Amino acid sequence: MRRRHVTVDCARPYELATFWSRLTGWPTSGIDQPGDDEVLVEAPDPLPGLLFVRVPERRAAQNRVHLNWKPDGRSRDEEVERAVGLGATIYEDHRGPEDRGWVTLRDPEGNEFCIERQ
């Protein structure tokens, strides 16, 4: 069995997929438009894509699963700053001495993700 997508339930799939496309540098499928109920961010093989699907329910609790990211070509702190500039918010800061630790952020709909050090 092979992973195909990581699916994220959300209120505004196109807008959230656009955030994640900018953050990861991965393209959307190219056929998606604002208002679509499903939008795919295509990851390079062998990684699974990110599929954003509209659901009527609001997010009610902390994520049970979240993604951890390791910067490529930038430091953790530079990547955190870039994510915040794209619309993320810092949720918990676990950075420590000697450049150790990670930062937990929330995307524009409140889904948690972490950026670790390089």
Side-chain angles (χ1 to χ4, degrees), residues 1-108:
M1 194 175 317
R2 187 177 105 129
R3 294 166 297 180
R4 184 168 180 199
H5 305 123
V6 173
T7 301
V8 178
D9 294 343
C10 60
R12 297 173 44 184
Y14 184 84
E15 291 78 2
L16 197 55
T18 298
F19 165 82
W20 281 98
S21 175
R22 290 177 179 154
L23 184 67
T24 61
W26 304 341
T28 60
S29 65
I31 59 170
D32 304 304
Q33 299 178 28
D36 283 353
D37 288 333
E38 296 182 1
V39 179
L40 175 64
V41 175
E42 296 180 344
D45 277 335
L47 301 174
L50 301 173
L51 179 63
F52 298 88
V53 178
R54 183 182 319 277
V55 296
E57 301 87 15
R58 297 191 69 171
R59 185 173 164 274
Q62 181 179 11
N63 293 19
R64 303 279 294 188
V65 174
H66 67 265
L67 301 173
N68 291 354
W69 298 91
K70 180 179 172 184
D72 188 21
R74 286 187 271 279
S75 72
R76 176 204 52 219
D77 296 343
E78 291 169 332
E79 196 64 38
V80 167
E81 185 176 320
R82 191 175 77 82
V84 168
L86 291 171
T89 55
I90 294 176
Y91 177 59
E92 294 177 339
D93 194 331
H94 299 277
R95 290 178 273 199
E98 299 179 27
D99 198 34
R100 298 185 64 87
W102 69 95
V103 178
T104 304
L105 297 104
R106 287 185 169 164
D107 72 16

